[in-house]
mmCIF file of all heavy atoms in Angstrom:
data_model
loop_
_atom_site.group_PDB
_atom_site.id
_atom_site.type_symbol
_atom_site.label_atom_id
_atom_site.label_comp_id
_atom_site.label_asym_id
_atom_site.label_seq_id
_atom_site.Cartn_x
_atom_site.Cartn_y
_atom_site.Cartn_z
ATOM 1 N N ALA C 1 129.294 43.592 78.063
ATOM 2 C CA ALA C 1 129.990 42.306 78.042
ATOM 3 C C ALA C 1 129.953 41.704 79.434
ATOM 4 O O ALA C 1 129.765 42.406 80.434
ATOM 5 C CB ALA C 1 131.431 42.476 77.563
ATOM 6 N N THR C 2 130.136 40.378 79.501
ATOM 7 C CA THR C 2 130.054 39.647 80.758
ATOM 8 C C THR C 2 131.363 38.920 81.033
ATOM 9 O O THR C 2 131.917 38.270 80.139
ATOM 10 C CB THR C 2 128.895 38.633 80.719
ATOM 11 O OG1 THR C 2 127.675 39.312 80.409
ATOM 12 C CG2 THR C 2 128.735 37.924 82.061
ATOM 13 N N VAL C 3 131.841 39.055 82.249
ATOM 14 C CA VAL C 3 133.059 38.369 82.680
ATOM 15 C C VAL C 3 132.757 37.613 83.978
ATOM 16 O O VAL C 3 131.755 37.876 84.652
ATOM 17 C CB VAL C 3 134.222 39.359 82.918
ATOM 18 C CG1 VAL C 3 134.652 40.007 81.611
ATOM 19 C CG2 VAL C 3 133.835 40.428 83.939
ATOM 20 N N ARG C 4 133.640 36.680 84.300
ATOM 21 C CA ARG C 4 133.520 35.977 85.572
ATOM 22 C C ARG C 4 134.474 36.604 86.574
ATOM 23 O O ARG C 4 135.650 36.816 86.285
ATOM 24 C CB ARG C 4 133.837 34.483 85.409
ATOM 25 C CG ARG C 4 133.651 33.689 86.717
ATOM 26 C CD ARG C 4 133.658 32.200 86.475
ATOM 27 N NE ARG C 4 132.534 31.785 85.663
ATOM 28 C CZ ARG C 4 131.282 31.619 86.106
ATOM 29 N NH1 ARG C 4 131.007 31.864 87.379
ATOM 30 N NH2 ARG C 4 130.330 31.240 85.299
ATOM 31 N N ARG C 5 133.938 36.896 87.754
ATOM 32 C CA ARG C 5 134.743 37.492 88.805
ATOM 33 C C ARG C 5 134.316 36.917 90.151
ATOM 34 O O ARG C 5 133.144 37.004 90.528
ATOM 35 C CB ARG C 5 134.584 39.019 88.809
ATOM 36 C CG ARG C 5 135.489 39.739 89.802
ATOM 37 C CD ARG C 5 135.289 41.247 89.742
ATOM 38 N NE ARG C 5 136.203 41.942 90.622
ATOM 39 C CZ ARG C 5 136.135 43.238 90.910
ATOM 40 N NH1 ARG C 5 135.202 43.979 90.352
ATOM 41 N NH2 ARG C 5 137.006 43.800 91.730
ATOM 42 N N ARG C 6 135.274 36.302 90.844
ATOM 43 C CA ARG C 6 135.002 35.732 92.170
ATOM 44 C C ARG C 6 133.816 34.777 92.129
ATOM 45 O O ARG C 6 132.859 34.884 92.894
ATOM 46 C CB ARG C 6 134.772 36.841 93.194
ATOM 47 C CG ARG C 6 135.997 37.724 93.403
ATOM 48 C CD ARG C 6 135.689 38.888 94.320
ATOM 49 N NE ARG C 6 136.835 39.796 94.433
ATOM 50 C CZ ARG C 6 136.792 40.989 95.001
ATOM 51 N NH1 ARG C 6 135.652 41.437 95.522
ATOM 52 N NH2 ARG C 6 137.876 41.748 95.066
ATOM 53 N N ASP C 7 133.869 33.848 91.161
ATOM 54 C CA ASP C 7 132.880 32.772 91.043
ATOM 55 C C ASP C 7 131.472 33.252 90.708
ATOM 56 O O ASP C 7 130.485 32.539 90.960
ATOM 57 C CB ASP C 7 132.831 31.930 92.333
ATOM 58 C CG ASP C 7 134.154 31.240 92.609
ATOM 59 O OD1 ASP C 7 134.796 30.802 91.637
ATOM 60 O OD2 ASP C 7 134.535 31.148 93.781
ATOM 61 N N LYS C 8 131.357 34.453 90.154
ATOM 62 C CA LYS C 8 130.052 34.897 89.676
ATOM 63 C C LYS C 8 130.247 35.701 88.401
ATOM 64 O O LYS C 8 131.325 36.249 88.140
ATOM 65 C CB LYS C 8 129.329 35.721 90.732
ATOM 66 C CG LYS C 8 129.972 37.061 91.048
ATOM 67 C CD LYS C 8 129.139 37.847 92.058
ATOM 68 C CE LYS C 8 129.775 39.206 92.358
ATOM 69 N NZ LYS C 8 128.954 39.986 93.327
ATOM 70 N N SER C 9 129.212 35.745 87.582
ATOM 71 C CA SER C 9 129.289 36.508 86.341
ATOM 72 C C SER C 9 128.880 37.949 86.591
ATOM 73 O O SER C 9 127.965 38.223 87.386
ATOM 74 C CB SER C 9 128.390 35.890 85.266
ATOM 75 O OG SER C 9 127.042 35.898 85.675
ATOM 76 N N VAL C 10 129.600 38.869 85.937
ATOM 77 C CA VAL C 10 129.348 40.309 86.079
ATOM 78 C C VAL C 10 129.199 40.902 84.690
ATOM 79 O O VAL C 10 130.078 40.727 83.836
ATOM 80 C CB VAL C 10 130.503 41.007 86.834
ATOM 81 C CG1 VAL C 10 130.237 42.501 86.943
ATOM 82 C CG2 VAL C 10 130.687 40.394 88.221
ATOM 83 N N ARG C 11 128.099 41.604 84.470
ATOM 84 C CA ARG C 11 127.854 42.236 83.172
ATOM 85 C C ARG C 11 128.025 43.738 83.311
ATOM 86 O O ARG C 11 127.481 44.343 84.242
ATOM 87 C CB ARG C 11 126.438 41.908 82.682
ATOM 88 C CG ARG C 11 126.159 42.385 81.259
ATOM 89 C CD ARG C 11 124.740 42.088 80.863
ATOM 90 N NE ARG C 11 124.485 42.426 79.472
ATOM 91 C CZ ARG C 11 123.281 42.689 78.978
ATOM 92 N NH1 ARG C 11 122.227 42.661 79.773
ATOM 93 N NH2 ARG C 11 123.131 42.991 77.712
ATOM 94 N N ARG C 12 128.781 44.332 82.379
ATOM 95 C CA ARG C 12 129.064 45.761 82.425
ATOM 96 C C ARG C 12 128.938 46.385 81.035
ATOM 97 O O ARG C 12 129.222 45.737 80.023
ATOM 98 C CB ARG C 12 130.492 46.006 82.918
ATOM 99 C CG ARG C 12 130.765 45.538 84.335
ATOM 100 C CD ARG C 12 130.032 46.374 85.338
ATOM 101 N NE ARG C 12 130.416 46.051 86.708
ATOM 102 C CZ ARG C 12 129.704 46.367 87.770
ATOM 103 N NH1 ARG C 12 128.574 47.027 87.631
ATOM 104 N NH2 ARG C 12 130.125 46.052 88.976
ATOM 105 N N PRO C 13 128.548 47.675 80.990
ATOM 106 C CA PRO C 13 128.672 48.412 79.727
ATOM 107 C C PRO C 13 130.142 48.459 79.325
ATOM 108 O O PRO C 13 131.036 48.386 80.173
ATOM 109 C CB PRO C 13 128.153 49.809 80.080
ATOM 110 C CG PRO C 13 127.429 49.654 81.372
ATOM 111 C CD PRO C 13 128.049 48.507 82.093
ATOM 112 N N CYS C 14 130.387 48.600 78.026
ATOM 113 C CA CYS C 14 131.781 48.606 77.585
ATOM 114 C C CYS C 14 131.973 49.416 76.315
ATOM 115 O O CYS C 14 131.050 49.638 75.540
ATOM 116 C CB CYS C 14 132.283 47.173 77.363
ATOM 117 S SG CYS C 14 131.523 46.316 75.953
ATOM 118 N N PHE C 15 133.200 49.886 76.136
ATOM 119 C CA PHE C 15 133.706 50.308 74.840
ATOM 120 C C PHE C 15 134.121 49.028 74.111
ATOM 121 O O PHE C 15 134.720 48.140 74.733
ATOM 122 C CB PHE C 15 134.944 51.188 74.980
ATOM 123 C CG PHE C 15 134.764 52.421 75.813
ATOM 124 C CD1 PHE C 15 134.905 52.368 77.200
ATOM 125 C CD2 PHE C 15 134.488 53.650 75.223
ATOM 126 C CE1 PHE C 15 134.768 53.507 77.980
ATOM 127 C CE2 PHE C 15 134.358 54.795 75.996
ATOM 128 C CZ PHE C 15 134.494 54.730 77.378
ATOM 129 N N ALA C 16 133.847 48.929 72.827
ATOM 130 C CA ALA C 16 134.229 47.741 72.069
ATOM 131 C C ALA C 16 135.001 48.173 70.827
ATOM 132 O O ALA C 16 134.507 48.984 70.040
ATOM 133 C CB ALA C 16 133.005 46.934 71.666
ATOM 134 N N THR C 17 136.217 47.639 70.657
ATOM 135 C CA THR C 17 137.020 48.007 69.491
ATOM 136 C C THR C 17 137.906 46.857 69.050
ATOM 137 O O THR C 17 138.407 46.089 69.872
ATOM 138 C CB THR C 17 137.883 49.252 69.777
ATOM 139 O OG1 THR C 17 138.592 49.612 68.585
ATOM 140 C CG2 THR C 17 138.867 49.009 70.913
ATOM 141 N N ASP C 18 138.059 46.744 67.739
ATOM 142 C CA ASP C 18 139.011 45.795 67.157
ATOM 143 C C ASP C 18 140.182 46.530 66.506
ATOM 144 O O ASP C 18 140.946 45.945 65.747
ATOM 145 C CB ASP C 18 138.327 44.885 66.138
ATOM 146 C CG ASP C 18 137.683 45.651 64.986
ATOM 147 O OD1 ASP C 18 137.763 46.906 64.962
ATOM 148 O OD2 ASP C 18 137.095 45.010 64.094
ATOM 149 N N GLY C 19 140.302 47.819 66.808
ATOM 150 C CA GLY C 19 141.361 48.647 66.230
ATOM 151 C C GLY C 19 140.948 49.348 64.958
ATOM 152 O O GLY C 19 141.588 50.320 64.554
ATOM 153 N N ARG C 20 139.871 48.874 64.328
ATOM 154 C CA ARG C 20 139.364 49.533 63.111
ATOM 155 C C ARG C 20 138.251 50.520 63.452
ATOM 156 O O ARG C 20 138.203 51.626 62.943
ATOM 157 C CB ARG C 20 138.825 48.498 62.115
ATOM 158 C CG ARG C 20 139.841 47.480 61.618
ATOM 159 C CD ARG C 20 139.200 46.520 60.630
ATOM 160 N NE ARG C 20 137.959 45.948 61.163
ATOM 161 C CZ ARG C 20 136.754 46.135 60.640
ATOM 162 N NH1 ARG C 20 136.607 46.883 59.561
ATOM 163 N NH2 ARG C 20 135.695 45.567 61.184
ATOM 164 N N ARG C 21 137.328 50.084 64.288
ATOM 165 C CA ARG C 21 136.193 50.914 64.696
ATOM 166 C C ARG C 21 135.962 50.743 66.183
ATOM 167 O O ARG C 21 136.497 49.836 66.815
ATOM 168 C CB ARG C 21 134.927 50.537 63.935
ATOM 169 C CG ARG C 21 134.399 49.128 64.240
ATOM 170 C CD ARG C 21 132.878 49.060 64.254
ATOM 171 N NE ARG C 21 132.215 49.573 63.088
ATOM 172 C CZ ARG C 21 131.877 48.862 62.012
ATOM 173 N NH1 ARG C 21 132.182 47.569 61.960
ATOM 174 N NH2 ARG C 21 131.244 49.415 60.996
ATOM 175 N N MET C 22 135.156 51.649 66.736
ATOM 176 C CA MET C 22 134.774 51.545 68.141
ATOM 177 C C MET C 22 133.282 51.783 68.292
ATOM 178 O O MET C 22 132.714 52.681 67.666
ATOM 179 C CB MET C 22 135.523 52.548 69.013
ATOM 180 C CG MET C 22 135.015 52.593 70.459
ATOM 181 S SD MET C 22 136.002 53.616 71.564
ATOM 182 C CE MET C 22 137.382 52.513 71.882
ATOM 183 N N LEU C 23 132.656 50.969 69.134
ATOM 184 C CA LEU C 23 131.302 51.226 69.596
ATOM 185 C C LEU C 23 131.372 51.750 71.021
ATOM 186 O O LEU C 23 132.069 51.191 71.870
ATOM 187 C CB LEU C 23 130.456 49.951 69.567
ATOM 188 C CG LEU C 23 129.970 49.454 68.213
ATOM 189 C CD1 LEU C 23 128.991 48.296 68.417
ATOM 190 C CD2 LEU C 23 129.310 50.562 67.408
ATOM 191 N N MET C 24 130.615 52.819 71.268
ATOM 192 C CA MET C 24 130.625 53.485 72.559
ATOM 193 C C MET C 24 129.557 52.917 73.485
ATOM 194 O O MET C 24 128.464 52.563 73.041
ATOM 195 C CB MET C 24 130.344 54.975 72.368
ATOM 196 C CG MET C 24 131.402 55.732 71.594
ATOM 197 S SD MET C 24 132.813 56.125 72.631
ATOM 198 C CE MET C 24 132.058 57.221 73.842
ATOM 199 N N PRO C 25 129.836 52.875 74.789
ATOM 200 C CA PRO C 25 128.768 52.533 75.735
ATOM 201 C C PRO C 25 127.767 53.673 75.831
ATOM 202 O O PRO C 25 128.091 54.832 75.555
ATOM 203 C CB PRO C 25 129.523 52.357 77.057
ATOM 204 C CG PRO C 25 130.718 53.252 76.921
ATOM 205 C CD PRO C 25 131.104 53.196 75.468
ATOM 206 N N ALA C 26 126.541 53.347 76.200
ATOM 207 C CA ALA C 26 125.543 54.390 76.430
ATOM 208 C C ALA C 26 125.907 55.178 77.680
ATOM 209 O O ALA C 26 126.294 54.614 78.697
ATOM 210 C CB ALA C 26 124.162 53.763 76.574
ATOM 211 N N PHE C 27 125.783 56.495 77.593
ATOM 212 C CA PHE C 27 126.161 57.374 78.700
ATOM 213 C C PHE C 27 124.990 57.651 79.646
ATOM 214 O O PHE C 27 125.193 57.917 80.829
ATOM 215 C CB PHE C 27 126.698 58.687 78.132
ATOM 216 C CG PHE C 27 127.472 59.516 79.113
ATOM 217 C CD1 PHE C 27 128.845 59.350 79.258
ATOM 218 C CD2 PHE C 27 126.839 60.475 79.897
ATOM 219 C CE1 PHE C 27 129.568 60.119 80.170
ATOM 220 C CE2 PHE C 27 127.547 61.246 80.806
ATOM 221 C CZ PHE C 27 128.914 61.063 80.946
ATOM 222 N N GLY C 28 123.767 57.627 79.144
ATOM 223 C CA GLY C 28 122.605 57.938 79.964
ATOM 224 C C GLY C 28 122.426 56.965 81.109
ATOM 225 O O GLY C 28 122.706 55.764 80.968
ATOM 226 N N VAL C 29 121.926 57.457 82.234
ATOM 227 C CA VAL C 29 121.883 56.624 83.445
ATOM 228 C C VAL C 29 120.751 55.606 83.441
ATOM 229 O O VAL C 29 120.738 54.706 84.282
ATOM 230 C CB VAL C 29 121.783 57.497 84.719
ATOM 231 C CG1 VAL C 29 122.977 58.413 84.846
ATOM 232 C CG2 VAL C 29 120.473 58.277 84.767
ATOM 233 N N THR C 30 119.792 55.725 82.531
ATOM 234 C CA THR C 30 118.688 54.760 82.508
ATOM 235 C C THR C 30 118.681 53.931 81.229
ATOM 236 O O THR C 30 117.646 53.446 80.791
ATOM 237 C CB THR C 30 117.334 55.477 82.662
ATOM 238 O OG1 THR C 30 117.209 56.493 81.663
ATOM 239 C CG2 THR C 30 117.188 56.095 84.039
ATOM 240 N N THR C 31 119.844 53.745 80.639
ATOM 241 C CA THR C 31 119.945 52.965 79.405
ATOM 242 C C THR C 31 120.341 51.531 79.708
ATOM 243 O O THR C 31 121.079 51.253 80.653
ATOM 244 C CB THR C 31 120.983 53.580 78.454
ATOM 245 O OG1 THR C 31 122.206 53.760 79.171
ATOM 246 C CG2 THR C 31 120.508 54.924 77.932
ATOM 247 N N GLY C 32 119.888 50.617 78.866
ATOM 248 C CA GLY C 32 120.286 49.216 78.971
ATOM 249 C C GLY C 32 121.460 48.929 78.053
ATOM 250 O O GLY C 32 122.187 49.843 77.649
ATOM 251 N N GLY C 33 121.664 47.645 77.713
ATOM 252 C CA GLY C 33 122.797 47.302 76.855
ATOM 253 C C GLY C 33 122.587 46.000 76.114
ATOM 254 O O GLY C 33 121.766 45.162 76.512
ATOM 255 N N LEU C 34 123.317 45.827 75.014
ATOM 256 C CA LEU C 34 123.320 44.595 74.236
ATOM 257 C C LEU C 34 124.668 43.908 74.384
ATOM 258 O O LEU C 34 125.717 44.549 74.267
ATOM 259 C CB LEU C 34 123.074 44.881 72.747
ATOM 260 C CG LEU C 34 121.660 45.241 72.301
ATOM 261 C CD1 LEU C 34 121.656 45.471 70.787
ATOM 262 C CD2 LEU C 34 120.676 44.151 72.683
ATOM 263 N N ASP C 35 124.649 42.607 74.624
ATOM 264 C CA ASP C 35 125.888 41.855 74.735
ATOM 265 C C ASP C 35 126.625 41.838 73.398
ATOM 266 O O ASP C 35 125.995 41.845 72.326
ATOM 267 C CB ASP C 35 125.584 40.423 75.175
ATOM 268 C CG ASP C 35 126.844 39.685 75.592
ATOM 269 O OD1 ASP C 35 127.223 39.780 76.772
ATOM 270 O OD2 ASP C 35 127.464 39.026 74.731
ATOM 271 N N LEU C 36 127.945 41.822 73.465
ATOM 272 C CA LEU C 36 128.749 41.817 72.235
ATOM 273 C C LEU C 36 128.494 40.601 71.364
ATOM 274 O O LEU C 36 128.828 40.608 70.174
ATOM 275 C CB LEU C 36 130.240 41.896 72.587
ATOM 276 C CG LEU C 36 130.751 43.264 73.044
ATOM 277 C CD1 LEU C 36 132.245 43.181 73.377
ATOM 278 C CD2 LEU C 36 130.498 44.325 71.988
ATOM 279 N N ARG C 37 127.909 39.555 71.924
ATOM 280 C CA ARG C 37 127.590 38.367 71.129
ATOM 281 C C ARG C 37 126.186 38.437 70.517
ATOM 282 O O ARG C 37 125.776 37.512 69.813
ATOM 283 C CB ARG C 37 127.718 37.118 72.001
ATOM 284 C CG ARG C 37 129.124 36.895 72.539
ATOM 285 C CD ARG C 37 129.205 35.639 73.398
ATOM 286 N NE ARG C 37 130.508 35.518 74.041
ATOM 287 C CZ ARG C 37 131.559 34.938 73.483
ATOM 288 N NH1 ARG C 37 131.470 34.437 72.268
ATOM 289 N NH2 ARG C 37 132.710 34.868 74.140
ATOM 290 N N HIS C 38 125.467 39.516 70.779
ATOM 291 C CA HIS C 38 124.123 39.667 70.218
ATOM 292 C C HIS C 38 124.192 39.737 68.693
ATOM 293 O O HIS C 38 125.149 40.249 68.113
ATOM 294 C CB HIS C 38 123.484 40.947 70.776
ATOM 295 C CG HIS C 38 122.023 41.073 70.491
ATOM 296 N ND1 HIS C 38 121.537 41.541 69.290
ATOM 297 C CD2 HIS C 38 120.929 40.797 71.260
ATOM 298 C CE1 HIS C 38 120.219 41.561 69.316
ATOM 299 N NE2 HIS C 38 119.822 41.107 70.505
ATOM 300 N N ARG C 39 123.149 39.236 68.044
ATOM 301 C CA ARG C 39 123.150 39.191 66.567
ATOM 302 C C ARG C 39 123.256 40.584 65.950
ATOM 303 O O ARG C 39 123.707 40.722 64.803
ATOM 304 C CB ARG C 39 121.902 38.480 66.064
ATOM 305 C CG ARG C 39 120.590 39.163 66.406
ATOM 306 C CD ARG C 39 119.401 38.364 65.880
ATOM 307 N NE ARG C 39 118.126 38.973 66.217
ATOM 308 C CZ ARG C 39 117.481 38.772 67.349
ATOM 309 N NH1 ARG C 39 118.020 37.983 68.279
ATOM 310 N NH2 ARG C 39 116.327 39.361 67.585
ATOM 311 N N ALA C 40 122.855 41.639 66.680
ATOM 312 C CA ALA C 40 122.963 42.998 66.143
ATOM 313 C C ALA C 40 124.416 43.415 65.945
ATOM 314 O O ALA C 40 124.707 44.342 65.184
ATOM 315 C CB ALA C 40 122.259 43.983 67.067
ATOM 316 N N MET C 41 125.347 42.737 66.621
ATOM 317 C CA MET C 41 126.776 43.053 66.511
ATOM 318 C C MET C 41 127.462 42.264 65.385
ATOM 319 O O MET C 41 128.634 42.501 65.101
ATOM 320 C CB MET C 41 127.491 42.737 67.829
ATOM 321 C CG MET C 41 126.882 43.361 69.057
ATOM 322 S SD MET C 41 127.288 45.121 69.201
ATOM 323 C CE MET C 41 126.521 45.485 70.800
ATOM 324 N N ALA C 42 126.729 41.333 64.763
ATOM 325 C CA ALA C 42 127.333 40.440 63.771
ATOM 326 C C ALA C 42 127.952 41.226 62.623
ATOM 327 O O ALA C 42 127.321 42.116 62.048
ATOM 328 C CB ALA C 42 126.290 39.464 63.243
ATOM 329 N N GLY C 43 129.195 40.895 62.296
ATOM 330 C CA GLY C 43 129.881 41.498 61.165
ATOM 331 C C GLY C 43 130.527 42.836 61.433
ATOM 332 O O GLY C 43 131.191 43.387 60.540
ATOM 333 N N LEU C 44 130.377 43.372 62.643
ATOM 334 C CA LEU C 44 130.936 44.692 62.928
ATOM 335 C C LEU C 44 132.413 44.643 63.307
ATOM 336 O O LEU C 44 133.132 45.614 63.101
ATOM 337 C CB LEU C 44 130.156 45.366 64.066
ATOM 338 C CG LEU C 44 128.713 45.773 63.747
ATOM 339 C CD1 LEU C 44 128.058 46.379 64.984
ATOM 340 C CD2 LEU C 44 128.667 46.763 62.588
ATOM 341 N N PHE C 45 132.864 43.520 63.868
ATOM 342 C CA PHE C 45 134.230 43.441 64.396
ATOM 343 C C PHE C 45 134.961 42.207 63.886
ATOM 344 O O PHE C 45 134.347 41.177 63.592
ATOM 345 C CB PHE C 45 134.209 43.381 65.934
ATOM 346 C CG PHE C 45 133.638 44.586 66.602
ATOM 347 C CD1 PHE C 45 132.390 44.530 67.217
ATOM 348 C CD2 PHE C 45 134.336 45.788 66.633
ATOM 349 C CE1 PHE C 45 131.853 45.635 67.845
ATOM 350 C CE2 PHE C 45 133.801 46.899 67.273
ATOM 351 C CZ PHE C 45 132.557 46.824 67.875
ATOM 352 N N GLU C 46 136.303 42.341 63.823
ATOM 353 C CA GLU C 46 137.163 41.172 63.669
ATOM 354 C C GLU C 46 137.371 40.606 65.077
ATOM 355 O O GLU C 46 138.118 41.158 65.881
ATOM 356 C CB GLU C 46 138.494 41.577 63.039
ATOM 357 C CG GLU C 46 138.351 42.121 61.624
ATOM 358 C CD GLU C 46 139.669 42.656 61.081
ATOM 359 O OE1 GLU C 46 140.633 42.786 61.867
ATOM 360 O OE2 GLU C 46 139.720 42.967 59.881
ATOM 361 N N ARG C 47 136.687 39.521 65.382
ATOM 362 C CA ARG C 47 136.614 39.058 66.770
ATOM 363 C C ARG C 47 137.973 38.655 67.338
ATOM 364 O O ARG C 47 138.183 38.737 68.547
ATOM 365 C CB ARG C 47 135.618 37.902 66.883
ATOM 366 C CG ARG C 47 134.166 38.374 66.763
ATOM 367 C CD ARG C 47 133.192 37.268 67.100
ATOM 368 N NE ARG C 47 131.832 37.790 67.247
ATOM 369 C CZ ARG C 47 130.784 37.048 67.599
ATOM 370 N NH1 ARG C 47 130.953 35.745 67.847
ATOM 371 N NH2 ARG C 47 129.590 37.585 67.724
ATOM 372 N N GLU C 48 138.887 38.236 66.470
ATOM 373 C CA GLU C 48 140.209 37.864 66.978
ATOM 374 C C GLU C 48 140.974 39.072 67.512
ATOM 375 O O GLU C 48 141.924 38.940 68.300
ATOM 376 C CB GLU C 48 141.030 37.160 65.894
ATOM 377 C CG GLU C 48 141.355 37.998 64.671
ATOM 378 C CD GLU C 48 140.290 37.948 63.597
ATOM 379 O OE1 GLU C 48 139.134 37.568 63.916
ATOM 380 O OE2 GLU C 48 140.615 38.271 62.435
#
């Protein structure tokens, strides 16, 4: 996920949960990531 911090955007791996399920961040040191708004995440969470 990406947040704004000190006038710049910062992207970080994250745990993602809506209280029903959780997606884990990748633990390996050479792994990339998908933003929570990516189409692969569609329908997995109650965004509110």
